[in-house]
Amino acid sequence: MADNRVVVTGLGCVSPLGLDVESTWEACLAGKSGVGNITKFDASGFKTRIAAEVKGFDPTVWIDRKEVKKMDTFIQYAIACSSMALDDAGFKVDPENAERVGVYIGAGLGGLPEIERQKKIIDEEGPRRVSPFFIPMVIVNLAPGYVAMQTGAKGPNMSIVSACATGAHCIGEAAHAIRRGDIDVAIAGGAESTITPLGVGGFNALRALSTRNEEPERASRPFDKDREGFVMGEGGGILIIESLEHAQKRGATIYAELAGYGATCDAYHITSPDPQGDGAARCMKMAMRTGGVTPGEVDYINAHGTSTPLNDYFETLAIKSVFGERAGKLMISSTKSVTGHCLGAAGSMEAIFSVLAIRDSIVPPTMNYETPDPECDLDYVPNVARKAEVRAVLSNSFGFGGTNATLLFKKFS
């Protein structure tokens, strides 16, 4: 079996902060929040009336106008991000390489907006009015399916659906396929667009969302003592990853090496993390072990850091259990403080931030960190980005059901 090294050569992103990678990264470093009042529907009767929406996205820039109507928004984000990432990588799928290119793109919930719209149609107008495109509009695996049809990629094509760990799991499993030698290149990540009445209402019922409606930009406050829930976000993040040999052969620019990947489960609760942070800790250890990196070589953790009371505390416990005394010397930040929690897209969006932290030697801040929590007492890089050498980064993603994923990126050499 092959054991290829895997490198990152292309990035694509649509986020509440911008419609491409560089504008998103610039806003993230500046601490500019993407959170505001919900405009996608009338949220006046909801406990939560704020979210981190994507603004100004025009799918026809990336997709034929007639095709746009056949796909829900998360698929449009996936296509746009994939196109950007391929352009960035300078890579084109052609008949010669098509069978060696895989597409791994997931979503946490998939086409919730269209499900709600079609339900209203069937209730008000009857079953004959339901769109013939309804099912392919909403099922998660049509995100990689459409990307394959647009690009011609004929390798493995699949979606991993693992709640908020989706994007990271897709990237990690794609990397395994490259290491095994199954494929040379993967288009991998996640996309999500579920800021809808049912989406917000459902998370409200779980008491998971912030209700700081009067202060949208200050609502997502990971690790802060006054955190009280996450803010829903949306968007997409796609990485082009490929074997080192393939990247060097075609003279590609390499952002970073995707050196390790961990995947574990808490086996504990449907929504709450393990109270000792056990599953998260094992996940980080697995990523470092598979990446051949010691705890002393990790400079930065892009935390899952949702801004919920339990998640941030248990993630802090997990980091302490893995790194011991060194935990206090690590730079840790949650970019969800400005992007909101983009659910199935979160892991891949944060993987992009991790790669860029290595490229630019700068760590993004945790915004709205104002009141220290004695139970969350690590260096969360509060409120201001920090210039620093970043040799290796862990990017954590944890999901409902106790599913965990950690990606390990390191500077390429």
Side-chain angles (χ1 to χ4, degrees):
M1 179 182 291
D3 191 17
N4 297 315
R5 291 173 69 183
V6 179
V7 294
V8 180
T9 56
L11 306 173
C13 184
V14 170
S15 82
L17 303 179
L19 301 180
D20 56 46
V21 171
E22 294 304 329
S23 63
T24 293
W25 180 230
E26 183 179 339
C28 179
L29 291 177
K32 180 181 176 183
S33 176
V35 181
N37 293 323
I38 291 175
T39 63
K40 288 177 175 282
F41 65 94
D42 179 3
S44 58
F46 287 68
K47 289 182 179 178
T48 295
R49 300 187 292 279
I50 57 175
E53 298 177 339
V54 169
K55 295 101 179 163
F57 177 72
D58 178 3
T60 63
V61 173
W62 309 98
I63 307 162
D64 182 86
R65 189 175 298 278
K66 292 180 180 177
E67 295 298 312
V68 167
K69 297 177 181 178
K70 301 176 184 176
M71 56 186 77
D72 210 336
T73 314
F74 80 102
I75 297 175
Q76 298 168 12
Y77 291 161
I79 293 172
C81 293
S82 298
S83 297
M84 283 183 225
L86 286 166
D87 288 346
D88 186 41
F91 178 70
K92 184 174 176 55
V93 182
D94 60 35
E96 296 293 317
N97 62 32
E99 294 181 17
R100 300 289 296 170
V101 181
V103 187
Y104 295 70
I105 301 175
L109 284 166
L112 193 57
E114 196 59 32
I115 291 172
E116 292 184 32
R117 200 172 78 85
Q118 295 295 327
K119 177 64 169 65
K120 186 176 180 184
I121 288 173
I122 198 171
D123 285 346
E124 294 179 355
E125 304 178 42
R128 293 186 177 180
R129 300 297 297 171
V130 172
S131 169
F133 297 108
F134 169 53
I135 298 302
M137 279 181 184
V138 303
I139 56 177
V140 174
N141 74 295
L142 254 294
Y146 269 112
V147 169
M149 285 184 276
Q150 286 227 338
T151 62
K154 295 183 176 180
N157 189 289
M158 63 186 73
S159 296
I160 295 169
V161 179
S162 53
C164 308
T166 291
H169 275 143
C170 286
I171 295 167
E173 295 300 323
H176 275 334
I178 294 171
R179 287 198 181 89
R180 290 193 302 265
D182 296 348
I183 52 176
D184 296 318
V185 179
I187 303 165
E192 198 79 270
S193 178
T194 55
I195 301 172
T196 70
L198 270 180
V200 175
F203 281 113
N204 265 161
L206 280 173
R207 300 180 181 178
L209 296 182
S210 170
T211 56
R212 199 183 288 260
N213 296 306
E214 306 310 315
E215 301 177 294
E217 294 183 353
R218 299 181 65 216
S220 181
R221 41 197 321 111
F223 303 106
D224 183 87
K225 186 179 181 181
D226 297 328
R227 66 189 184 278
E228 39 86 65
F230 74 82
V231 175
M232 283 184 72
E234 63 172 345
I238 297 293
L239 282 69
I240 304 302
I241 58 176
E242 55 187 301
S243 72
L244 174 59
E245 180 182 5
H246 188 271
Q248 289 181 323
K249 189 175 180 180
R250 68 182 189 87
T253 299
I254 295 173
Y255 280 100
E257 180 170 1
L258 174 50
Y261 166 52
T264 65
C265 185
D266 292 351
Y268 172 71
H269 193 271
I270 56 171
T271 57
S272 173
D274 179 280
Q276 304 303 317
D278 172 69
R282 287 186 290 108
C283 200
M284 286 185 270
K285 289 178 181 176
M286 183 185 293
M288 287 189 287
R289 185 176 70 249
T290 58
V293 167
T294 66
E297 294 174 286
V298 175
D299 296 308
Y300 168 51
I301 297 177
N302 188 294
H304 186 56
T306 57
S307 184
T308 60
L310 290 181
N311 178 84
D312 295 0
Y313 171 54
F314 294 144
E315 186 171 12
T316 299
L317 280 184
I319 292 170
K320 288 180 177 178
S321 74
V322 172
F323 289 91
E325 291 183 0
R326 180 169 164 71
K329 299 178 181 177
L330 287 167
M331 294 175 285
I332 302 164
S333 67
S334 172
T335 41
K336 290 184 179 72
S337 57
V338 287
T339 63
H341 188 351
C342 298
L343 308 181
S348 53
M349 205 177 286
E350 290 157 19
I352 290 172
F353 293 149
S354 299
V355 167
L356 294 175
I358 292 173
R359 183 194 69 176
D360 295 345
S361 299
I362 189 167
V363 172
T366 302
M367 297 306 295
N368 302 317
Y369 184 84
E370 296 169 340
T371 306
D373 180 345
E375 294 186 319
C376 296
D377 54 355
L378 300 177
D379 177 7
Y380 303 109
V381 191
N383 301 312
V384 179
R386 185 181 303 169
K387 290 292 291 184
E389 182 184 14
V390 183
R391 298 167 298 173
V393 180
L394 293 179
S395 183
N396 283 337
S397 296
F398 311 135
F400 282 173
T403 183
N404 308 301
T406 299
L407 300 170
L408 169 66
F409 297 98
K410 68 179 184 181
K411 186 170 288 188
F412 173 69
S413 62

